Amino acid sequence: VIVTNSQIGVTRETVTTSDGVFRVVSLGPGAYRVEVVKPGFLNALRESVNVGISETVRLDFTLEVSGVKETVDWWRTAG
C-alpha cells in the first residue's frame, strides 16, 4: 500500500496483514493518494482521501484479477 500526501508529495509504504488490513500511523492532516499494488491484480487507487488531526480513516478496496495473456504459436509443415 502506497500513501502519498497530495500537497507535498511525501510517500509512505506499508503492507497488509493476511486479512488485508493495513495501517499508516502518524500521518499529518491533509489530502492523500492511496494506491494498493499486488502482483496478479489490477492496481486500486483512491485520490483525495482527506485525513484530519487524530483521525482514523477506513478505506475498503476490492482488487480485480488482472487479465491473463496467453500466446499460442503453431505452424503446419508440408508433408
Side-chain angles (χ1 to χ4, degrees):
V1 179
I2 305 164
V3 179
T4 304
N5 183 299
S6 300
Q7 285 101 8
I8 61 176
V10 173
T11 298
R12 304 261 304 271
E13 294 187 27
T14 189
V15 295
T16 65
T17 65
S18 59
D19 295 328
V21 176
F22 68 93
R23 288 179 179 253
V24 181
V25 296
S26 300
L27 290 176
Y32 289 84
R33 177 182 194 268
V34 181
E35 185 173 17
V36 178
V37 178
K38 181 166 178 63
F41 292 85
L42 297 175
N43 294 358
L45 177 66
R46 295 276 171 80
E47 297 275 0
S48 302
V49 176
N50 291 309
V51 176
I53 297 172
S54 299
E55 182 179 13
T56 298
V57 177
R58 178 185 171 130
L59 297 175
D60 293 315
F61 289 90
T62 300
L63 299 181
E64 295 180 39
V65 176
S66 65
V68 175
K69 193 177 219 181
E70 186 174 315
T71 303
V72 177
D73 292 324
W74 68 277
W75 59 91
R76 199 169 121 182
T77 58

